[in-house]
């Protein structure tokens, strides 16, 4: 039996350029999160100050470990812990690094999300496991988040 996926929210996470920690291989880098928006089901904003620690492999795969905070309008804050993987062919990665637009279907980008909050009306999120399908754009990441039912 497959669990249903229920739409929860869409995150537009604004990011600064990567900071190389170790050129590797494998490489380590940090992607600063500088803001963003929350829409679709929940509404609010992504607070600046979070980040995504990444391990970059030679085969085009990136391990993702992001940690940041949402401010949900009328409720309060929600801590986000997001772990996952992004994989794409090297030529697609090179095009993105040159700032070119690429078909998002050429990238596998999935994360599991856990949330922590004491905000009134949102505490049910503490017991939710969510799945995000991501898309990397020039200056932001778009995450379509679904609650796993």
């Amino acid at each position: 039996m497959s669990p249903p996926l229920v739409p929860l929210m869409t995150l537009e996470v604004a990011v600064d350029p990567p900071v190389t920690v170790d050129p590797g291989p494998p490489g380590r880098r940090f992607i600063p999160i500088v803001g963003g928006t929350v829409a679709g089901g929940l509404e609010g904003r992504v607070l600046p100050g979070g980040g995504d620690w990444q391990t970059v492999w030679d085969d085009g795969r990136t391990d993702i470990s992001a940690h940041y905070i949402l401010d949900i309008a009328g409720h309060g804050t929600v801590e986000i812990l997001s772990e996952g993987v992004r994989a794409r062919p090297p030529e697609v990665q090179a095009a993105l690094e040159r700032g070119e637009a690429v078909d998002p279907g050429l990238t596998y980008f999935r994360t599991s999300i856990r949330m922590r909050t004491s905000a009134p009306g949102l505490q049910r999120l503490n017991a939710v496991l969510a799945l995000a399908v991501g898309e990397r754009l020039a200056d932001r990441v778009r995450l379509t988040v679904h609650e796993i039912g």
Side-chain angles (χ1 to χ4, degrees):
M1 178 168 134
S2 297
L5 296 178
V6 180
L8 186 60
M9 63 186 147
T10 299
L11 305 175
E12 296 275 343
V13 182
V15 295
D16 269 349
V19 175
T20 299
V21 177
D22 179 356
R28 286 284 288 162
R29 65 185 180 188
F30 177 76
I31 313 296
I33 293 174
V34 297
T37 60
V38 181
L42 297 174
E43 303 288 329
R45 62 192 180 111
V46 178
L47 296 180
D52 181 5
W53 287 94
Q54 298 181 344
T55 301
V56 182
W57 301 92
D58 287 342
D59 63 1
R61 176 175 41 104
T62 300
D63 294 336
I64 295 167
S65 181
H67 198 179
Y68 51 99
I69 299 172
L70 308 179
D71 183 8
I72 303 302
H75 293 282
T77 56
V78 178
E79 178 184 4
I80 299 292
L81 301 164
S82 181
E83 301 276 336
V85 64
R86 185 178 65 216
R88 61 179 71 130
E91 62 274 9
V92 173
Q93 180 64 33
L96 280 170
E97 289 173 2
R98 291 189 302 268
E100 299 172 15
V102 299
D103 176 356
L106 298 175
T107 300
Y108 181 88
F109 185 170
R110 307 289 188 271
T111 66
S112 64
I113 294 179
R114 289 295 316 268
M115 295 164 275
R116 295 180 185 150
T117 186
S118 62
L122 296 178
Q123 292 182 19
R124 75 169 200 87
L125 296 176
N126 292 321
V128 166
L129 179 61
L131 170 70
V133 176
E135 178 182 354
R136 180 66 162 96
L137 305 167
D139 62 347
R140 68 190 186 284
V141 173
R142 178 178 298 132
L143 296 167
T144 304
V145 182
H146 290 84
E147 178 178 340
I148 301 172

